[in-house]
Amino acid sequence: MQQEMLKIQEELKGKEVEASVGGGAVVVKANGQKEILSINISEEIIKEAAEDKEMLEDLVLSAVKEVMRQAEELSEKEMGRVTGGMNIPGLF
Protein backbone atom coordinates (compact mmCIF):
# COMPACT_ATOMS: atom_id res chain seq x y z
CA MET A 1 0.00 0.00 0.00
CA GLN A 2 2.83 2.38 0.86
CA GLN A 3 4.51 1.78 -2.51
CA GLU A 4 1.24 2.48 -4.31
CA MET A 5 0.77 5.71 -2.36
CA LEU A 6 4.29 6.86 -3.26
CA LYS A 7 3.57 6.08 -6.90
CA ILE A 8 0.37 8.14 -6.81
CA GLN A 9 2.15 11.05 -5.13
CA GLU A 10 4.70 11.05 -7.97
CA GLU A 11 1.89 10.91 -10.53
CA LEU A 12 0.18 13.88 -8.85
CA LYS A 13 3.21 16.02 -9.70
CA GLY A 14 2.37 15.57 -13.37
CA LYS A 15 -1.35 16.28 -13.08
CA GLU A 16 -2.55 19.86 -13.35
CA VAL A 17 -5.63 21.75 -12.26
CA GLU A 18 -6.58 25.26 -13.31
CA ALA A 19 -8.77 27.97 -11.82
CA SER A 20 -9.94 31.03 -13.69
CA VAL A 21 -11.70 34.03 -12.14
CA GLY A 22 -12.98 37.34 -13.40
CA GLY A 23 -13.91 35.90 -16.78
CA GLY A 24 -10.34 34.72 -17.35
CA ALA A 25 -8.72 37.86 -15.94
CA VAL A 26 -6.64 35.72 -13.56
CA VAL A 27 -5.74 32.10 -14.26
CA VAL A 28 -3.78 29.98 -11.78
CA LYS A 29 -2.41 26.50 -12.45
CA ALA A 30 -1.22 24.01 -9.84
CA ASN A 31 -0.21 20.39 -9.81
CA GLY A 32 -1.78 17.57 -7.81
CA GLN A 33 0.73 18.14 -5.02
CA LYS A 34 -0.65 21.65 -4.47
CA GLU A 35 2.33 23.44 -5.96
CA ILE A 36 1.49 26.62 -7.87
CA LEU A 37 2.84 26.26 -11.41
CA SER A 38 1.78 29.57 -12.94
CA ILE A 39 -0.30 32.69 -12.49
CA ASN A 40 -1.49 34.55 -15.57
CA ILE A 41 -3.01 38.02 -15.22
CA SER A 42 -4.57 39.60 -18.30
CA GLU A 43 -3.23 42.93 -19.57
CA GLU A 44 -6.74 44.37 -19.32
CA ILE A 45 -7.06 43.63 -15.61
CA ILE A 46 -3.56 44.97 -14.95
CA LYS A 47 -4.62 48.31 -16.43
CA GLU A 48 -7.73 48.32 -14.26
CA ALA A 49 -5.63 47.41 -11.22
CA ALA A 50 -3.75 50.66 -11.54
CA GLU A 51 -6.89 52.25 -10.14
CA ASP A 52 -8.11 49.35 -7.99
CA LYS A 53 -5.21 47.31 -6.59
CA GLU A 54 -7.48 45.64 -4.04
CA MET A 55 -9.66 44.20 -6.81
CA LEU A 56 -6.64 42.51 -8.41
CA GLU A 57 -5.48 41.16 -5.07
CA ASP A 58 -8.95 39.72 -4.45
CA LEU A 59 -9.01 38.08 -7.90
CA VAL A 60 -5.59 36.49 -7.41
CA LEU A 61 -6.52 35.27 -3.93
CA SER A 62 -9.79 33.79 -5.21
CA ALA A 63 -8.04 31.97 -8.05
CA VAL A 64 -5.35 30.58 -5.74
CA LYS A 65 -7.94 29.37 -3.21
CA GLU A 66 -9.95 27.68 -5.97
CA VAL A 67 -6.96 25.96 -7.57
CA MET A 68 -5.83 24.72 -4.14
CA ARG A 69 -9.32 23.34 -3.52
CA GLN A 70 -9.21 21.54 -6.86
CA ALA A 71 -5.71 20.17 -6.18
CA GLU A 72 -6.83 18.88 -2.78
CA GLU A 73 -9.88 17.23 -4.35
CA LEU A 74 -7.69 15.59 -7.01
CA SER A 75 -5.24 14.35 -4.38
CA GLU A 76 -8.00 12.91 -2.20
CA LYS A 77 -9.59 11.20 -5.20
CA GLU A 78 -6.32 9.62 -6.32
CA MET A 79 -5.28 8.54 -2.82
CA GLY A 80 -8.78 7.22 -2.23
CA ARG A 81 -8.09 4.59 -4.87
CA VAL A 82 -5.40 3.15 -2.58
CA THR A 83 -7.05 3.67 0.78
CA GLY A 84 -10.45 2.44 -0.36
CA GLY A 85 -11.96 5.80 0.53
CA MET A 86 -10.78 5.67 4.15
CA ASN A 87 -9.72 9.07 5.46
CA ILE A 88 -6.37 8.53 7.15
CA PRO A 89 -5.35 11.68 9.09
CA GLY A 90 -2.03 13.18 8.01
CA LEU A 91 -1.89 11.08 4.86
CA PHE A 92 -2.51 13.81 2.32
PDB file of all heavy atoms in Angstrom, residues 1-2 13 15 28 33 59 65 88:
ATOM      1  N   MET A   1       0.837  -1.194   0.000  1.00  0.00           N
ATOM      2  CA  MET A   1       0.000   0.000   0.000  1.00  0.00           C
ATOM      3  C   MET A   1       0.881   1.257   0.000  1.00  0.00           C
ATOM      4  O   MET A   1       0.591   2.200  -0.710  1.00  0.00           O
ATOM      5  CB  MET A   1      -0.918  -0.010   1.215  1.00  0.00           C
ATOM      6  CG  MET A   1      -1.883   1.144   1.272  1.00  0.00           C
ATOM      7  SD  MET A   1      -3.000   0.850   2.672  1.00  0.00           S
ATOM      8  CE  MET A   1      -3.927   2.309   2.715  1.00  0.00           C
ATOM      9  N   GLN A   2       1.950   1.226   0.784  1.00  0.00           N
ATOM     10  CA  GLN A   2       2.830   2.385   0.858  1.00  0.00           C
ATOM     11  C   GLN A   2       3.492   2.663  -0.494  1.00  0.00           C
ATOM     12  O   GLN A   2       3.603   3.808  -0.911  1.00  0.00           O
ATOM     13  CB  GLN A   2       3.896   2.168   1.931  1.00  0.00           C
ATOM     14  CG  GLN A   2       4.752   3.391   2.171  1.00  0.00           C
ATOM     15  CD  GLN A   2       5.741   3.187   3.300  1.00  0.00           C
ATOM     16  OE1 GLN A   2       5.923   2.072   3.793  1.00  0.00           O
ATOM     17  NE2 GLN A   2       6.381   4.245   3.713  1.00  0.00           N
ATOM     18  N   LYS A  13       2.342  14.933  -9.248  1.00  0.00           N
ATOM     19  CA  LYS A  13       3.214  16.019  -9.696  1.00  0.00           C
ATOM     20  C   LYS A  13       2.944  16.370 -11.149  1.00  0.00           C
ATOM     21  O   LYS A  13       3.077  17.519 -11.554  1.00  0.00           O
ATOM     22  CB  LYS A  13       4.692  15.638  -9.546  1.00  0.00           C
ATOM     23  CG  LYS A  13       5.225  15.748  -8.164  1.00  0.00           C
ATOM     24  CD  LYS A  13       6.725  15.453  -8.167  1.00  0.00           C
ATOM     25  CE  LYS A  13       7.294  15.506  -6.779  1.00  0.00           C
ATOM     26  NZ  LYS A  13       8.732  15.187  -6.766  1.00  0.00           N
ATOM     27  N   LYS A  15       0.041  15.926 -12.795  1.00  0.00           N
ATOM     28  CA  LYS A  15      -1.349  16.277 -13.081  1.00  0.00           C
ATOM     29  C   LYS A  15      -1.587  17.735 -12.714  1.00  0.00           C
ATOM     30  O   LYS A  15      -1.114  18.205 -11.692  1.00  0.00           O
ATOM     31  CB  LYS A  15      -2.301  15.370 -12.314  1.00  0.00           C
ATOM     32  CG  LYS A  15      -2.211  13.936 -12.774  1.00  0.00           C
ATOM     33  CD  LYS A  15      -3.250  13.068 -12.127  1.00  0.00           C
ATOM     34  CE  LYS A  15      -3.112  11.650 -12.689  1.00  0.00           C
ATOM     35  NZ  LYS A  15      -4.208  10.811 -12.295  1.00  0.00           N
ATOM     36  N   VAL A  28      -4.833  30.589 -12.596  1.00  0.00           N
ATOM     37  CA  VAL A  28      -3.784  29.975 -11.779  1.00  0.00           C
ATOM     38  C   VAL A  28      -3.782  28.478 -12.062  1.00  0.00           C
ATOM     39  O   VAL A  28      -4.834  27.847 -12.105  1.00  0.00           O
ATOM     40  CB  VAL A  28      -4.015  30.233 -10.274  1.00  0.00           C
ATOM     41  CG1 VAL A  28      -2.953  29.540  -9.432  1.00  0.00           C
ATOM     42  CG2 VAL A  28      -4.032  31.724  -9.982  1.00  0.00           C
ATOM     43  N   GLN A  33       0.084  18.056  -6.320  1.00  0.00           N
ATOM     44  CA  GLN A  33       0.726  18.135  -5.017  1.00  0.00           C
ATOM     45  C   GLN A  33       0.600  19.537  -4.424  1.00  0.00           C
ATOM     46  O   GLN A  33       1.332  19.902  -3.503  1.00  0.00           O
ATOM     47  CB  GLN A  33       2.189  17.722  -5.113  1.00  0.00           C
ATOM     48  CG  GLN A  33       2.330  16.237  -5.332  1.00  0.00           C
ATOM     49  CD  GLN A  33       3.749  15.772  -5.138  1.00  0.00           C
ATOM     50  OE1 GLN A  33       4.705  16.483  -5.413  1.00  0.00           O
ATOM     51  NE2 GLN A  33       3.886  14.560  -4.648  1.00  0.00           N
ATOM     52  N   LEU A  59      -8.909  39.040  -6.795  1.00  0.00           N
ATOM     53  CA  LEU A  59      -9.014  38.080  -7.897  1.00  0.00           C
ATOM     54  C   LEU A  59      -7.923  37.014  -7.791  1.00  0.00           C
ATOM     55  O   LEU A  59      -8.192  35.822  -7.946  1.00  0.00           O
ATOM     56  CB  LEU A  59      -8.930  38.784  -9.255  1.00  0.00           C
ATOM     57  CG  LEU A  59     -10.148  39.587  -9.678  1.00  0.00           C
ATOM     58  CD1 LEU A  59      -9.840  40.389 -10.936  1.00  0.00           C
ATOM     59  CD2 LEU A  59     -11.344  38.676  -9.921  1.00  0.00           C
ATOM     60  N   LYS A  65      -7.119  30.203  -4.099  1.00  0.00           N
ATOM     61  CA  LYS A  65      -7.939  29.366  -3.214  1.00  0.00           C
ATOM     62  C   LYS A  65      -8.666  28.282  -4.003  1.00  0.00           C
ATOM     63  O   LYS A  65      -8.729  27.125  -3.573  1.00  0.00           O
ATOM     64  CB  LYS A  65      -8.958  30.225  -2.462  1.00  0.00           C
ATOM     65  CG  LYS A  65      -8.368  31.014  -1.326  1.00  0.00           C
ATOM     66  CD  LYS A  65      -9.449  31.809  -0.606  1.00  0.00           C
ATOM     67  CE  LYS A  65      -8.914  32.554   0.594  1.00  0.00           C
ATOM     68  NZ  LYS A  65      -9.968  33.320   1.275  1.00  0.00           N
ATOM     69  N   ILE A  88      -7.424   8.790   6.181  1.00  0.00           N
ATOM     70  CA  ILE A  88      -6.369   8.530   7.154  1.00  0.00           C
ATOM     71  C   ILE A  88      -5.720   9.871   7.481  1.00  0.00           C
ATOM     72  O   ILE A  88      -5.077  10.482   6.636  1.00  0.00           O
ATOM     73  CB  ILE A  88      -5.332   7.546   6.585  1.00  0.00           C
ATOM     74  CG1 ILE A  88      -6.022   6.228   6.192  1.00  0.00           C
ATOM     75  CG2 ILE A  88      -4.199   7.325   7.578  1.00  0.00           C
ATOM     76  CD1 ILE A  88      -5.160   5.263   5.434  1.00  0.00           C
TER      77      ILE A  88
END
